[in-house]
Amino acid sequence: MIPNWLLQRSTLTPDRIALLFQDEQWTFKEANEKALVLAKKLTASGVRQHTRIAIYASSNPQIIWMMYACMHLQCEMVLLNLRLTGKELAYQIDDAAVDFILVEDLLMEKLPITKVSILSFSEINASPEQAIIVATEWAENQTMTIMYTSGTTGFPKGVRQTVGNHVSSATSSVYNMGLVDTDCWLCTMPLFHISGFSMLAKSLLHGVKINLYPKFDVVKIVDELVAGTVTRMSVVAVTLERILTELEVRNAKASPKFLTMLTGGGPVPVDYLKRAAKLDLNVAQTYGMTETSSQTATLSGADALRKIGSVGKALFFNQIRIDEAKKPFEQGEILIRGPHVTPGYIGRFTDKPSQENGWLHSGDIGYLDDEGYLYVVDRRSDLIISGGENIYPAEIENILTSHEAVREVGVCGVEDKKWGQVPNAFVVLSEDVESNELLAFCRKHLAAYKVPHQIHIVGQLPRNGSNKLLRRKLCELLIKE
Amino acid sequence: MIPNWLLQRSTLTPDRIALLFQDEQWTFKEANEKALVLAKKLTASGVRQHTRIAIYASSNPQIIWMMYACMHLQCEMVLLNLRLTGKELAYQIDDAAVDFILVEDLLMEKLPITKVSILSFSEINASPEQAIIVATEWAENQTMTIMYTSGTTGFPKGVRQTVGNHVSSATSSVYNMGLVDTDCWLCTMPLFHISGFSMLAKSLLHGVKINLYPKFDVVKIVDELVAGTVTRMSVVAVTLERILTELEVRNAKASPKFLTMLTGGGPVPVDYLKRAAKLDLNVAQTYGMTETSSQTATLSGADALRKIGSVGKALFFNQIRIDEAKKPFEQGEILIRGPHVTPGYIGRFTDKPSQENGWLHSGDIGYLDDEGYLYVVDRRSDLIISGGENIYPAEIENILTSHEAVREVGVCGVEDKKWGQVPNAFVVLSEDVESNELLAFCRKHLAAYKVPHQIHIVGQLPRNGSNKLLRRKLCELLIKE
């Protein structure tokens, strides 16, 4: 059993600052009081303990208090991605079979038509309060959050993340990069992603501040780095590059009080690492996924240039091995084991095993070098990572295939200076159609970041002997064009 | 499952310093290699995996490598206190039913006669090696150490401490006082005590250095504090006082690099806290016991003077409550819950429940104030704490009662400037005897620190209506003398 994070934290360090947002701040005691009041209002609105609810809101204190209220009620929180289309939202809401959707008022109109009860934040706030009994401890295997990741089949899978998963992730993180009194996480990551949510877990467990930004604002962020008002931050390659440029333009360095720039969501170009080193910026590359509740491996800043291209070693309580590899440098599927690994999926994938004897099959291909450093060679199932967002080709292919003029589709990632990768689609037509019309069709059905940057009309797709699409060969078509 | 600490730590940070001892130092890779070699030698000497063995050695690197070897073999290590008499050792060796005793050569002659196989360190070192298969992970409920505490009955009880107990203790500790790259524990605590052993656990889990001292040397220790070559240390009141005096005499302060002086094993006089504050020394008072694998509550240095007399609040994963207390300041037995609590005892106390619904009954009396700070009012069962060592009156009473000239005995703790408390005995005689003879008798059967500082011959002992000895009233006899 794990003590209720909010009760324990607000008991242990009531007067410490929990959250900074623009000009406001809240202590852990205040955060807990807000959460308790909202939990009572949610109860009066019909939300029951231990039920599954969806949350759809942008990064601001309101969503945090709402999540904390749901923690008190031990609800399973399905965190909806703000960038999804109505169709994508409808799929997740249906698949998760939630009892309620809690929605920020401004986002009400973006919700698809659904039979599920919807509670806007203002409705909840206006509700009376109903007495509740708050659990003082939580079971480790209690599901706290559910996050959807795109699946190889094109159907996103709802990943369960338990109390124990989040605790072990936050603990491994501290064992890896330490913890100091003055710690403050600058959060520009979406809170519906594990990258953002894991900061909330760290804040409550470690008793540290979060400085929350509603969106990425490079000027203000670099102000904070230079002033040393924050100590840790998570970025993806594209945002790291913007920070480096801003520092270079100002001819400034981050304060020595700033300790760690965690960089995840895909590979970081070597050039960025060299620029960061010149600026004495401690960039720690990480490897993780929704199924591992954040980091599973991290490369220390000290090794950043010596082990370029590596994502480091497993965190203390985790284990990583390469399937069937007999010696260093042999490539194979990356297998992950540890208390941070999801117990499984929900919805239509409930029965799909997420592990084999405790080992998660990541789907990614990699190797360990002779010192035990992990290198990721190829992302799982042709996964495209664009600005830190995961895009599965199959999802885009499914949409385009549904267009009447399209016979066959193949999607692959194409290198992009800004985003790392962007999706490109290759289609074989059954009847004449402009590629612009296909793009418009994609925009209607897919989150903006998933829409192919280009659609190439081709005569046939590269396939192997058993007629399986060879997505990696698609790029060669591009060169031939 | 928890990764094998030694394999994981030596894989993650092979080149970091694990141990400093006088002029030598060893990296984690070297420490692990030493442990593996010794594990193979122990195996060749007949020690099997998962068996129970006793270790009897003083604080030096040899005992650490031996313990690490036993960890690789997943042995249950019974850690024998160096201060015990032959009779006390014989009791523990018998009660624990160990398969082997591993003994430092210099201590061989202090061992009692026993049927158990004895392996001296030099024998082990001279042994050939036998191949072993080392487990890559350990079950959380695997017993790692067994430490004897004196019991209220006078029979010491063997407390099981599991892998999970030690991990959660080390984790709670980091959540409470942080972790920095430069961390180094100065260890003068005996390694057979949880205060010392917990540093080994922290070293392996957190990847930090230990600077091991064979004994308490105030001049060298203060040199380290002033130079900032160590960052954390554990002391008891009596050693804290010596450090304070040495700093005062030198008119010096500890380096700002020195972070935490953990003070446990009984109350700390207010005067010491005030002197520490003047020296900017961050003293963190703790409350813990063998049954909780070290700290269960800690008072932060920031609260040291505001909450004088308190041992602080529970660590994050722990819970503390006062039995039957309905509101703040109500006194009662201190109950403790959490993953750091022992699963139980061994030997003749195997069947004695250590918990009730997960709550450990500490036997200590205390209260929580209106801010949730714990105050210990009275130690369990008249426990005497002398220089950080626990002494149960019953154990001394049992010995004295066995003397033919003694009819009745009562033992209690008397305030002592240097040791905090020292035991005093009150005896009713059945025939004439000098108190010096009784003292000599005690010296023969009891560890030196348990021998009463004074034996008072009295006409009768204070008893209640049901004739139960009122140990707390014994002190009043002293005043009347």
Side-chain angles (χ1 to χ4, degrees):
Chain A
M1 301 297 283
I2 306 277
N4 174 327
W5 301 354
L6 288 151
L7 292 185
Q8 186 77 334
R9 178 49 60 199
S10 61
T11 300
L12 296 187
T13 55
D15 302 325
R16 247 191 237 171
I17 301 301
L19 181 66
L20 298 163
F21 182 75
Q22 294 166 347
D23 296 330
E24 286 187 280
Q25 62 180 40
W26 296 266
T27 64
F28 283 105
K29 192 177 169 201
E30 290 165 342
N32 182 50
E33 282 163 1
K34 283 191 172 289
L36 285 173
V37 167
L38 282 175
K40 291 173 189 168
K41 288 174 183 278
L42 284 169
T43 303
S45 306
V47 176
R48 292 289 156 259
Q49 285 182 309
H50 296 290
T51 60
R52 193 177 287 168
I53 52 94
I55 300 183
Y56 187 51
S58 52
S59 279
N60 62 52
Q62 271 298 327
I63 187 178
I64 296 181
W65 312 143
M66 216 53 88
M67 285 182 184
Y68 287 178
C70 291
M71 286 185 194
H72 270 317
L73 295 175
Q74 296 170 276
C75 287
E76 298 185 355
M77 298 182 269
V78 178
L79 303 179
L80 298 172
N81 189 321
L82 284 181
R83 304 173 74 174
L84 300 181
T85 62
K87 193 174 171 184
E88 291 166 323
L89 286 172
Y91 171 83
Q92 296 187 11
I93 291 166
D94 174 61
D95 186 65
V98 294
D99 288 341
F100 284 92
I101 310 173
L102 316 186
V103 192
E104 183 183 348
D105 293 54
L106 287 172
L107 295 174
M108 283 291 278
E109 61 187 23
K110 290 206 170 177
L111 272 189
I113 293 166
T114 169
K115 287 179 187 164
V116 177
S117 304
I118 293 171
L119 292 173
S120 73
F121 283 6
S122 62
E123 278 178 282
I124 298 165
N125 280 312
S127 163
E129 297 174 23
Q130 185 177 324
I132 49 169
I133 293 167
V134 174
T136 58
E137 50 186 23
W138 301 333
E140 291 190 52
N141 65 0
Q142 175 196 310
T143 297
M144 176 175 271
T145 44
I146 292 164
M147 297 183 191
Y148 274 82
T149 55
S150 300
T152 50
T153 56
F155 293 106
K157 292 185 282 190
V159 179
R160 287 177 56 196
Q161 295 159 336
T162 64
V163 169
N165 289 154
H166 289 301
V167 167
S168 77
S169 180
T171 298
S172 285
S173 170
V174 165
Y175 273 51
N176 181 254
M177 58 184 184
L179 177 66
V180 294
D181 269 3
T182 51
D183 262 335
C184 176
W185 282 87
L186 174 55
C187 179
T188 64
M189 293 302 215
L191 295 171
F192 53 77
H193 259 193
I194 187 59
S195 55
F197 185 84
S198 63
M199 287 186 209
L200 297 184
K202 287 186 180 100
S203 168
L204 292 174
L205 290 164
H206 306 165
V208 301
K209 279 194 286 289
I210 288 181
N211 187 339
L212 181 69
Y213 273 64
K215 57 178 190 171
F216 188 85
D217 179 334
V218 74
V219 173
K220 284 191 186 167
I221 288 165
V222 169
D223 286 348
E224 305 253 20
L225 297 183
V226 170
T229 42
V230 296
T231 61
R232 323 259 185 189
M233 185 176 177
S234 277
V235 290
V236 294
V238 59
T239 45
L240 174 62
E241 202 284 332
R242 290 183 60 194
I243 290 169
L244 294 173
T245 299
E246 179 71 17
L247 283 167
E248 288 159 351
V249 166
R250 294 196 199 181
N251 198 16
K253 285 186 177 182
S255 159
K257 288 181 191 161
F258 182 79
L259 301 172
T260 317
M261 186 69 86
L262 268 187
T263 309
V268 180
V270 176
D271 175 56
Y272 297 1
L273 297 176
K274 290 184 177 163
R275 288 163 63 193
K278 272 192 196 156
L279 293 163
D280 302 330
L281 195 67
N282 180 32
V283 171
Q285 287 195 77
T286 71
Y287 170 61
M289 56 196 75
T290 309
E291 282 88 343
T292 61
S293 300
S294 188
Q295 298 157 265
T296 200
T298 298
L299 183 70
S300 70
D303 287 332
L305 291 178
R306 190 173 76 88
K307 291 286 178 181
I308 277 177
S310 169
V311 290
K313 293 179 176 179
L315 300 194
F316 194 88
F317 296 104
N318 313 345
Q319 294 176 72
I320 292 175
R321 66 180 175 88
I322 305 298
D323 201 16
E324 295 183 7
K326 303 261 179 309
K327 52 182 194 287
F329 299 104
E330 275 188 19
Q331 295 189 6
E333 187 177 8
I334 300 168
L335 307 185
I336 301 163
R337 181 178 173 91
H340 64 319
V341 171
T342 179
Y345 303 103
I346 63 157
R348 73 168 67 185
F349 292 99
T350 301
D351 299 331
K352 190 174 153 49
S354 61
Q355 307 168 2
E356 209 173 282
N357 298 324
W359 289 93
L360 174 79
H361 284 249
S362 70
D364 294 341
I365 304 300
Y367 65 88
L368 296 167
D369 74 6
D370 48 354
E371 291 184 74
Y373 288 81
L374 177 66
Y375 290 75
V376 182
V377 176
D378 208 351
R379 287 289 166 157
R380 56 197 166 240
S381 319
D382 309 305
L383 175 66
I384 301 162
I385 305 185
S386 186
E389 289 277 7
N390 287 355
I391 305 170
Y392 279 88
E395 208 179 347
I396 304 171
E397 288 163 7
N398 284 352
I399 295 298
L400 276 170
T401 311
S402 73
H403 190 282
E404 56 185 8
V406 172
R407 178 182 295 151
E408 292 171 41
V409 192
V411 169
C412 70
V414 174
E415 300 296 309
D416 182 87
K417 211 167 169 194
K418 182 168 180 193
W419 300 107
Q421 285 184 299
V422 292
N424 270 222
F426 298 79
V427 297
V428 179
L429 297 180
S430 55
E431 56 188 77
D432 260 7
V433 68
E434 290 290 309
S435 64
N436 276 347
E437 190 190 315
L438 295 178
L439 279 174
F441 185 75
C442 286
R443 275 188 212 105
K444 198 171 142 196
H445 295 287
L446 291 166
Y449 65 91
K450 298 179 191 166
V451 173
H453 278 225
Q454 282 194 54
I455 294 185
H456 312 274
I457 293 168
V458 294
Q460 60 174 15
L461 296 177
R463 294 187 181 274
N464 69 5
S466 51
N467 221 21
K468 192 165 176 276
L469 179 65
L470 297 171
R471 288 203 186 89
R472 274 166 246 178
K473 296 243 171 182
L474 288 170
C475 288
E476 294 174 16
L477 295 177
L478 211 57
I479 296 158
K480 286 183 195 150
E481 264 191 345
Chain B
M1 301 298 283
I2 306 277
N4 174 327
W5 300 355
L6 287 151
L7 293 184
Q8 186 77 335
R9 177 49 60 201
S10 62
T11 301
L12 297 186
T13 55
D15 303 325
R16 248 192 235 169
I17 301 302
L19 181 67
L20 297 164
F21 182 75
Q22 295 167 345
D23 296 330
E24 288 187 278
Q25 61 179 41
W26 296 266
T27 64
F28 283 105
K29 192 177 170 201
E30 290 164 341
N32 182 50
E33 282 163 2
K34 283 191 173 290
L36 285 173
V37 167
L38 283 175
K40 291 173 190 167
K41 289 174 183 281
L42 284 169
T43 303
S45 307
V47 176
R48 294 287 157 264
Q49 285 183 310
H50 296 290
T51 60
R52 193 178 288 167
I53 51 95
I55 300 182
Y56 186 52
S58 52
S59 280
N60 62 54
Q62 272 297 326
I63 187 179
I64 296 181
W65 312 144
M66 215 55 86
M67 285 182 183
Y68 288 179
C70 291
M71 286 185 193
H72 270 317
L73 295 176
Q74 296 170 278
C75 287
E76 298 185 355
M77 298 181 268
V78 178
L79 303 179
L80 298 173
N81 189 321
L82 285 182
R83 306 173 74 175
L84 300 182
T85 63
K87 194 175 168 181
E88 291 166 323
L89 285 171
Y91 171 84
Q92 295 188 11
I93 290 165
D94 174 62
D95 186 65
V98 294
D99 288 340
F100 284 92
I101 310 174
L102 316 186
V103 192
E104 183 184 347
D105 293 54
L106 288 173
L107 296 175
M108 283 292 278
E109 63 187 23
K110 291 206 172 179
L111 272 189
I113 294 165
T114 171
K115 288 180 184 160
V116 177
S117 305
I118 293 172
L119 293 171
S120 73
F121 284 6
S122 61
E123 279 178 280
I124 298 165
N125 280 312
S127 163
E129 297 175 21
Q130 185 177 323
I132 50 169
I133 293 167
V134 174
T136 58
E137 52 187 22
W138 300 333
E140 292 189 52
N141 65 0
Q142 176 197 311
T143 297
M144 175 174 273
T145 44
I146 292 164
M147 297 183 192
Y148 274 81
T149 57
S150 300
T152 51
T153 56
F155 293 107
K157 292 184 281 187
V159 179
R160 289 176 54 196
Q161 295 160 334
T162 64
V163 169
N165 289 154
H166 289 302
V167 167
S168 77
S169 180
T171 299
S172 284
S173 169
V174 166
Y175 272 51
N176 180 254
M177 58 184 184
L179 178 66
V180 296
D181 269 2
T182 51
D183 261 334
C184 176
W185 281 87
L186 175 55
C187 179
T188 64
M189 293 302 215
L191 295 171
F192 53 76
H193 258 194
I194 186 59
S195 54
F197 185 85
S198 64
M199 287 185 210
L200 297 184
K202 287 187 181 100
S203 168
L204 292 174
L205 291 164
H206 305 166
V208 301
K209 279 194 287 289
I210 288 181
N211 188 340
L212 181 69
Y213 273 64
K215 58 179 189 168
F216 188 85
D217 179 334
V218 73
V219 172
K220 284 191 187 165
I221 288 165
V222 168
D223 287 348
E224 305 253 20
L225 297 183
V226 170
T229 43
V230 295
T231 60
R232 324 255 185 191
M233 185 176 177
S234 277
V235 290
V236 294
V238 60
T239 45
L240 174 62
E241 201 284 332
R242 292 182 60 192
I243 290 169
L244 293 174
T245 299
E246 180 71 18
L247 283 167
E248 287 158 353
V249 166
R250 294 196 198 180
N251 199 15
K253 285 185 177 184
S255 158
K257 288 182 193 160
F258 182 79
L259 301 172
T260 318
M261 186 70 85
L262 268 187
T263 310
V268 181
V270 175
D271 174 55
Y272 298 0
L273 297 175
K274 289 183 179 165
R275 288 163 63 193
K278 271 193 195 154
L279 293 163
D280 301 331
L281 194 67
N282 180 32
V283 171
Q285 286 196 77
T286 71
Y287 171 61
M289 56 196 76
T290 308
E291 282 89 341
T292 62
S293 299
S294 186
Q295 297 156 265
T296 199
T298 298
L299 183 71
S300 71
D303 287 333
L305 292 178
R306 191 172 74 88
K307 292 287 177 182
I308 278 178
S310 169
V311 291
K313 294 179 176 178
L315 301 194
F316 194 88
F317 295 104
N318 313 346
Q319 293 174 73
I320 292 175
R321 67 180 173 86
I322 305 298
D323 201 17
E324 296 184 6
K326 304 261 179 311
K327 51 181 194 290
F329 299 103
E330 276 188 18
Q331 295 189 9
E333 187 178 7
I334 299 168
L335 307 185
I336 301 164
R337 183 179 171 91
H340 64 320
V341 171
T342 179
Y345 302 103
I346 63 157
R348 73 170 65 186
F349 293 99
T350 301
D351 298 332
K352 189 174 153 46
S354 62
Q355 306 168 3
E356 207 173 283
N357 298 324
W359 289 93
L360 173 78
H361 284 249
S362 69
D364 294 341
I365 305 301
Y367 65 88
L368 296 167
D369 74 4
D370 49 355
E371 292 183 75
Y373 288 81
L374 177 66
Y375 291 75
V376 181
V377 176
D378 207 352
R379 287 288 166 159
R380 57 197 162 232
S381 320
D382 309 304
L383 176 65
I384 300 163
I385 305 186
S386 185
E389 290 278 5
N390 288 355
I391 306 170
Y392 280 87
E395 209 178 348
I396 304 173
E397 288 163 7
N398 285 351
I399 293 299
L400 276 170
T401 311
S402 71
H403 190 282
E404 56 186 6
V406 172
R407 179 182 294 151
E408 294 172 39
V409 194
V411 169
C412 70
V414 174
E415 301 296 309
D416 183 88
K417 212 168 167 188
K418 182 168 180 195
W419 301 107
Q421 284 183 299
V422 292
N424 270 223
F426 298 80
V427 297
V428 179
L429 299 180
S430 55
E431 55 187 79
D432 259 8
V433 69
E434 292 288 312
S435 64
N436 277 346
E437 189 189 318
L438 295 179
L439 279 173
F441 185 75
C442 286
R443 275 189 212 104
K444 197 171 144 197
H445 295 287
L446 290 167
Y449 65 91
K450 296 179 191 168
V451 173
H453 278 228
Q454 283 194 53
I455 295 186
H456 311 273
I457 294 169
V458 294
Q460 62 173 11
L461 297 176
R463 295 188 181 272
N464 69 7
S466 50
N467 222 21
K468 190 166 176 268
L469 178 66
L470 297 172
R471 290 205 185 87
R472 274 166 247 179
K473 296 242 170 181
L474 289 169
C475 290
E476 294 175 16
L477 296 178
L478 211 57
I479 297 159
K480 285 183 197 150
E481 266 188 346

